[in-house]
Amino acid sequence: MSIETDAAHTPGGLALPAGNLRGPLAFAIACFLIWGLAYGLLDVLNKHFQDTLSISHADSAWLQIAYFGAYLLLSVPAGMLLNARGYKFGIVTGLMVAAVGALLFIPAASAGAFLAFVRSMFVLAAGLCILETSADTYVNVLGDPAKAPQRLNLAQSFNALGVFFGPLIGGAVFFSPTTTEALGGATRSIQILYGLIPLGVGLLALVVW
């Protein structure tokens, strides 16, 4: 159940992993869920900052610029990294960079500075870009090539699930007065939510490694 298809089998070779593929596929699908959740939280976080930091709609768009800008700038380097080091390295690197980006939300919340959140979002999205490039390609070659579209459809359904639940989680944390108060206020709610993300992401990275 290893993702050790890397060193001896590069993405360019499109070699298929031996043994039971369900475990590796499950880990790859978990990655789809992660970046779906992160994207689903984006708009909710945008609205939250408009309310708590008193920023305009135009200024809040910098969160989206940071998120999609990271994809624009890092998609090609991520592909180069994947080709050079393999799937496992790419997936673990993406997870760890995303974890660092989420951790940066904690001091950003303490500072209450929107620019700090934008920078944190860029780092988080950079990790997600590397993760998506690696996991998407990995799912594509993980098994019978004729069934690659089926595997991708399955994985992408979990991505859609994450996009669906992201706003529900963000809404419950940021826009439910009872929940926000229980977590210690608006600032503390951000720190707790984005402090939990690295725990789950880091655990997944450890298992994948």
Side-chain angles (χ1 to χ4, degrees):
M1 203 171 74
S2 171
I3 301 185
E4 195 66 64
T5 61
D6 310 50
H9 304 81
T10 63
L14 299 183
L16 304 180
N20 190 340
L21 305 182
R22 291 183 180 179
L25 182 60
F27 287 125
I29 287 175
C31 295
F32 279 74
L33 180 64
I34 287 171
W35 77 70
L37 285 169
Y39 179 74
L41 283 170
L42 181 60
D43 287 338
V44 181
L45 196 63
N46 189 312
K47 174 60 176 172
H48 178 67
F49 288 148
Q50 291 175 23
D51 294 343
T52 59
L53 300 179
S54 300
I55 60 174
S56 67
H57 290 276
D59 288 340
S60 69
W62 280 102
L63 278 180
Q64 277 89 350
I65 293 173
Y67 187 95
F68 294 110
Y71 273 77
L72 176 64
L73 294 175
L74 292 172
S75 292
V76 173
M80 295 170 63
L81 176 68
L82 175 63
N83 191 57
R85 299 297 302 271
Y87 299 106
K88 184 174 74 173
F89 186 87
I91 290 173
V92 171
T93 299
L95 288 169
M96 296 311 297
V97 173
V100 170
L103 282 173
L104 289 175
F105 274 79
I106 297 176
S110 297
F114 181 64
L115 182 58
F117 285 115
V118 173
R119 292 168 178 164
S120 303
M121 181 61 72
F122 181 86
V123 177
L124 174 62
L128 295 176
C129 175
I130 299 171
L131 178 64
E132 183 170 350
T133 302
S134 304
D136 192 72
T137 310
Y138 185 60
V139 168
N140 190 54
V141 302
L142 190 62
D144 183 359
K147 296 183 179 180
Q150 297 177 26
R151 292 192 299 275
L152 283 172
N153 286 336
L154 174 63
Q156 288 167 358
S157 69
F158 280 83
N159 178 260
L161 193 65
V163 173
F164 175 79
F165 279 105
L168 296 181
I169 295 172
V173 172
F174 299 138
F175 297 109
S176 169
T178 302
T179 303
T180 301
E181 183 178 352
L183 293 176
T187 298
R188 190 61 179 160
S189 64
I190 293 176
Q191 293 176 325
I192 290 176
L193 178 59
Y194 280 86
L196 289 174
I197 291 174
L199 294 178
V201 169
L203 179 60
L204 180 58
L206 180 62
V207 173
V208 169
W209 186 257

